Amino acid sequence: MAPISPPRGVYAPVVAFFHEDESLDLDALKVHVTRLAKGGVAGLVIQGSNGEAPHLLHSERQQVISTARSTLNEQGRDTAVIIAGCGAPSTRETIQLCAEAKEAGADYALVLSPSYWPQAMGPPVIKKFFTDVAAASQIPVLIYNFPGVTAGLDISSDTIAELAAANPNKIVGCKLTCGNLGKLHRVAHDARITAPFATFAGKSDFFLHGLVGGSNGVIAAAANFVPKVHVQLLRLYDEGKLAEATRLQMYLSEADWVLVGLGVAGLKAAVDRYFGYGGGRSRRPLGLVLASAFDGGRDDVLRRIVDPEKSL
């Protein structure tokens, strides 16, 4: 049984792999989850922003979750947790996705704020949405704050703390991809939150900075690419080796900037180029990124983290 809130550590928001006809490539998914499991991640986020959830049918979402769960178990990582992306425009569908995620093997639900008609999504509406979802969900909920995919809606630290305080053991964490480290620090240390609550940095770009601010670790797209490097950075920080951790963070930040510039398909193309599986294909309209996109200067930047990843 999973703990009340997700354990501290590195989490990879798993990418979705597709065949040329855009059907799910579950064989590539198994290879990928196996590499992540061996890389030491604390768990997986399935159908986060990098998992292309809006492109998947409900049945496909469940298929990906159950495949990831069975692969973790086969690798002896049955205690590694799965956080499933369950956000939807309506409260009703979000609750349905939470139920389906639990049925497929997820331990927690990661829920974006709704953003259909964003002008109507003021703080009272957002608080009611998360309160209703948490009350109905059979698995604990993490708040996902990512203004870049929610029409600019940015949940405040007060709203997050108030929701956590009012829903103990139901709202058990948050992922802050907004990049606001002040917000992360405030939430991580808010005295109103007395039950277990995990505050995660949402990008590799500020992984170390988040740890200093009190984060529970990181949920980061680049952990798909170099999970061992992320785990190593966490280890260096815990051992008090800040100079080494800072140097590794610099390489991660540079690589993250390259990967962000090429999008979700580009991240998969990088996995294909440097680790030999998957391919850089997304469902349309996102399209395809070829491994050749990493020729030249991008390759120099990424090699600085690929080489240590392969040596760890």
Side-chain angles (χ1 to χ4, degrees):
M1 182 176 179
I4 293 171
S5 64
R8 184 171 180 267
V10 172
Y11 290 75
V14 177
V15 292
F17 295 100
F18 300 102
H19 294 293
E20 189 172 349
D21 65 357
E22 297 189 6
S23 61
L24 286 171
D25 186 347
L26 295 178
D27 289 334
L29 176 65
K30 292 175 185 177
V31 172
H32 188 54
V33 171
T34 297
R35 187 169 75 88
L36 296 174
K38 292 180 177 179
V41 298
L44 307 175
V45 174
I46 306 294
Q47 281 114 45
S49 298
N50 286 276
E52 297 186 52
H55 294 170
L56 303 181
L57 303 173
H58 281 223
S59 59
E60 291 176 318
R61 288 182 180 224
Q62 287 191 293
Q63 195 174 10
V64 172
I65 294 169
S66 62
T67 299
R69 178 74 273 167
S70 62
T71 304
L72 286 173
N73 293 349
E74 289 167 6
Q75 295 301 315
R77 296 293 313 279
D78 53 297
T79 59
V81 302
I82 288 181
I83 305 170
C86 295
S90 72
T91 303
R92 182 183 181 89
E93 187 181 11
T94 302
I95 293 169
Q96 180 184 349
L97 287 169
C98 291
E100 291 170 354
K102 181 181 187 300
E103 181 183 342
D107 302 292
Y108 308 92
L110 179 67
V111 178
L112 277 166
S113 59
S115 56
Y116 179 60
W117 287 104
Q119 296 91 337
M121 297 295 122
V125 175
I126 295 297
K127 289 175 73 172
K128 180 80 163 57
F129 168 78
F130 279 106
T131 298
D132 290 347
V133 169
S137 177
Q138 299 174 50
I139 50 178
V141 170
L142 284 79
I143 296 168
Y144 186 9
N145 188 48
F146 190 2
V149 297
T150 56
L153 292 172
D154 191 5
I155 307 173
S156 72
S157 55
D158 281 332
T159 296
I160 294 171
E162 289 163 6
L163 281 166
N167 298 275
N169 302 331
K170 295 290 288 180
I171 295 180
V172 300
C174 62
K175 179 192 178 191
L176 302 179
T177 310
C178 53
N180 187 330
L181 289 166
K183 179 183 297 184
L184 185 153
H185 196 114
R186 289 191 298 273
V187 173
H189 299 280
D190 198 299
R192 290 171 289 185
I193 305 174
T194 56
F197 190 86
T199 303
F200 288 101
K203 288 187 68 179
S204 303
D205 198 33
F206 49 91
F207 181 14
L208 179 59
H209 316 69
L211 292 172
V212 173
S215 78
N216 201 57
V218 71
I219 300 172
N224 281 284
F225 187 51
V226 284
K228 292 179 182 179
V229 169
H230 286 77
V231 173
Q232 175 71 356
L233 191 151
L234 178 59
R235 183 180 301 116
L236 291 170
Y237 174 79
D238 287 344
E239 293 173 354
K241 298 177 179 177
L242 290 181
E244 293 177 57
T246 299
R247 184 164 53 253
L248 198 55
Q249 176 63 64
M250 180 182 68
Y251 296 152
L252 272 179
S253 293
E254 292 173 345
D256 196 52
W257 185 247
V258 168
L259 295 171
V260 166
L262 290 169
V264 175
L267 175 58
K268 289 186 280 189
V271 170
D272 181 29
R273 170 155 180 158
Y274 296 97
F275 298 97
Y277 64 89
R281 186 178 304 280
S282 289
R283 278 185 173 164
R284 291 170 293 175
L286 289 185
L288 175 70
V289 174
L290 300 175
S292 60
F294 301 96
D295 291 342
R298 288 171 175 158
D299 180 65
D300 295 337
V301 171
L302 295 182
R303 285 286 178 192
R304 286 199 282 271
I305 57 168
V306 168
D307 292 343
E309 176 73 17
K310 291 183 175 182
S311 67
L312 286 169

